[in-house]
Amino acid sequence: MGPEPLPNLSEYACLRCKGHKKRCDRVRPVCARCLRTGAQCEYKATVTAPPSLAVTPTPSLEDKSVLVQLVDAMVLEVGTDPPLSSTAGQQLTDTHLLTSIHHFALVSQLFAQKSGADHRLLLLNPRELLDAFFSPATHPALRWSLCATAVLLLSPESDKTALLEYYKRARKAVSRGLDAPSVNLIPALFFLASISTATGQTAFSASLARCAVHVVYALNMDVDPDEFTNMTLQEKEDQRKWYWLVAYWTKLYYLMGTSETSHRLHLDRVQLPKNSTGLFPELIRIYDVMEGIKATYTQPPSSIQELLTSNAFVNLSGQLITLFIEIPFQQLLIPNHTLQLPELFALYTQQFHSAPFAVKASLVVNTLNYFTAQSMLHRPKLTLMILTTPTSPLLQQSPHLLHDFITSLDKCLSSARHTSNITRYLLLATINPPEHLHPTLTNLTTECGTAIPKMFPASLYAWALALNILESAAVLYILTTRLPQVWTAGIAGLPPRAALLRDMRALVTFLGLLEDTHPGTTYLPPLGAVVRGMHVEMEAGEGAAAAAGLGGVEVGMRVLALDEAEERLRVVKEAATPAAFLGLLGLEVLGSVRWKGEGEEEWRRFWDMVKESRLI
């Protein structure tokens, strides 16, 4: 009698995976792919689970295997990599994951050359990490993620084979780590997500952020470690640091729109670590308020009155004022529109000159995001001004609203101009900018009337600064092309149109520098397309829309992932929701170019409702 034939495992797949001819992990009652997509998971009633697969309950936060399933399901959904789970058929020791002295030297070189030019590296202690590089205390996934980061930062123009190889090893090591979550897994997830974002794999990057949140909950990291008595002081400090990092990470992803839900990791539950270098705690607090603003405006209000008299608006205004008072003076660049650019830039230089790298970086991101938050809070009212005039029935019935409108306009304008001035300064202070920007920078130097010391590598500028650019560009666009002239003519102190156009040109130029610095990031093209569309309309005036010849264009984002052979990146989605803090709130650029995002269509219907009301 011959050996018993092997079972046909496809017969055990769920009906949805089998129908789509996708790989199914055959876990019951819900397989990983259906778990990730939220689809109903059904199996043939006449087919029982294969002997090697026990029927398991639907995983919960307490079930650590859910972490593996989250990553596996995301990968299976787009039909890219085989499952990341390490529970099936993998050897205890994988020679593919062994570390050599070459890898140690590569990471040593990364710290030696880039510690002063990449804010992420400030999160790690180079001496401690290198001393323990071959020790079990250093998570394998962190080693490989740092090797991939080294290739990305040290040799950005080199062959991508090494980057891909290290990236694949990091993913494999993360897979194993998800079976047994630890605090040391969080920096590995963070660096791996950074590489995923840099190579356009935004969906996988978002899944890693979700895994980090689940690690936080699985290890009770949302409770300050002083509540536990079995931890050393260093362990407590490390746990606090990585909790605050996950808070920063998840708040940013929610603000970008990458994560549809806010995890709201509360900052008052866990103390800030004594050494917060690289964490940017003030920025995380700013993101916390921005999170509330986005939650308020993702969907439009039910009425004009709700937009104008919202309690949420009052509370968020109070939080921004409190932040402004509490953030140390040396952590913000304060706007001063009474000064000419040479005097203003001299103050910036003085503030930057003696500051260490970490403070320089925090000055930039804190300032841009604080004033972006201010603009986000007030932009819905500025947009409402497009549909009103000072003599509208709405303002005749409630004269105090005129003051509110003017205040919102002033807050948005001040924020946008301050952002533009900072981008001017950064452009002129950039070390070795791309050659094609030299003529523009020469013109900027002439415009600013002063020489700026070169002190910032372009790598300091994270791609996410483009989100601040979009917010400020939207304000300048409204003021120059959409706001009725009766407003602009009747408000004293508004800058001339030519000045606002110069501000917009500075924003567009800085956006181009970000695109040069982060060529693989798929978040940037849709932002660039819309900002440049605004710029075209601002420069060309009323004829821009007709000249563009566009009809019903909706700007989305391309999402990439590794192919099944893990050899190259391929497009898995052409029109995903692009990253933005607030998008365009229903506005159309060049007459018909729309932003693809949550709430955009609802805001368009809201503005249509406002037009039909008798209040304007």
Side-chain angles (χ1 to χ4, degrees), residues 416 419-424 427 436-437 440-441 444 465-466 468-470 472-474 476-477 500-516 524 527-539:
T419 297
S420 177
N421 283 337
I422 291 172
T423 59
R424 281 188 180 92
L427 284 165
H436 69 87
L437 288 182
T440 302
L441 297 181
L444 267 181
L465 295 181
N468 307 102
I469 299 295
L470 176 63
S472 296
L476 297 176
Y477 171 74
L500 299 182
L501 285 173
R502 288 195 296 271
D503 290 340
M504 188 66 167
R505 291 179 199 126
L507 295 178
V508 171
T509 303
F510 190 75
L511 183 60
L513 178 60
L514 293 177
E515 291 169 335
D516 288 337
L524 286 173
L527 293 166
V530 169
V531 170
R532 290 186 176 90
M534 293 176 181
H535 184 211
V536 167
E537 189 170 345
M538 288 170 63
E539 295 278 7

Side-chain angles (χ1 to χ4, degrees), residues 279-455:
L279 277 179
F280 305 130
E282 289 81 13
L283 175 62
I284 300 174
R285 294 178 62 200
I286 294 168
Y287 279 170
D288 199 49
V289 178
M290 292 172 72
E291 201 173 19
I293 297 172
K294 185 179 180 77
T296 300
Y297 291 139
T298 296
Q299 296 294 329
S302 59
S303 65
I304 300 176
Q305 287 76 12
E306 183 183 341
L307 176 61
L308 296 173
T309 61
S310 164
N311 288 331
F313 178 89
V314 175
N315 292 335
L316 291 164
S317 295
Q319 291 179 44
L320 279 177
I321 293 171
T322 300
L323 265 181
F324 189 79
I325 295 170
E326 293 181 349
I327 293 177
F329 171 76
Q330 64 271 23
Q331 294 287 346
L332 277 180
L333 296 169
I334 308 300
N336 189 332
H337 299 300
T338 64
L339 295 178
Q340 297 297 316
L341 284 180
E343 291 79 16
L344 182 65
F345 286 179
L347 289 178
Y348 289 174
T349 299
Q350 184 179 357
Q351 199 164 348
F352 276 119
H353 183 66
S354 58
F357 169 73
V359 176
K360 286 184 173 75
S362 65
L363 263 172
V364 172
V365 295
N366 290 347
T367 302
L368 291 178
N369 283 284
Y370 179 86
F371 289 97
T372 291
Q374 180 174 271
S375 179
M376 288 169 62
L377 182 61
H378 288 273
R379 182 155 59 96
K381 289 186 180 179
L382 176 65
T383 307
L384 180 59
M385 292 178 70
I386 296 173
L387 304 176
T388 63
T389 68
T391 59
S392 295
L394 174 68
L395 299 180
Q396 297 298 311
Q397 295 171 14
S398 304
H400 69 278
L401 292 179
L402 179 61
H403 176 267
D404 291 348
F405 275 18
I406 301 302
T407 298
S408 289
L409 185 152
D410 179 67
K411 294 289 187 184
C412 288
L413 174 60
S414 174
S415 297
R417 301 213 74 194
H418 192 39
T419 297
S420 177
N421 283 337
I422 291 172
T423 59
R424 281 188 180 92
Y425 185 89
L426 295 178
L427 284 165
L428 295 174
T430 299
I431 301 168
N432 297 324
E435 190 172 342
H436 69 87
L437 288 182
H438 289 181
T440 302
L441 297 181
T442 300
N443 293 336
L444 267 181
T445 302
T446 303
E447 176 188 324
C448 298
T450 184
I452 305 296
K454 306 294 184 183
M455 65 181 88

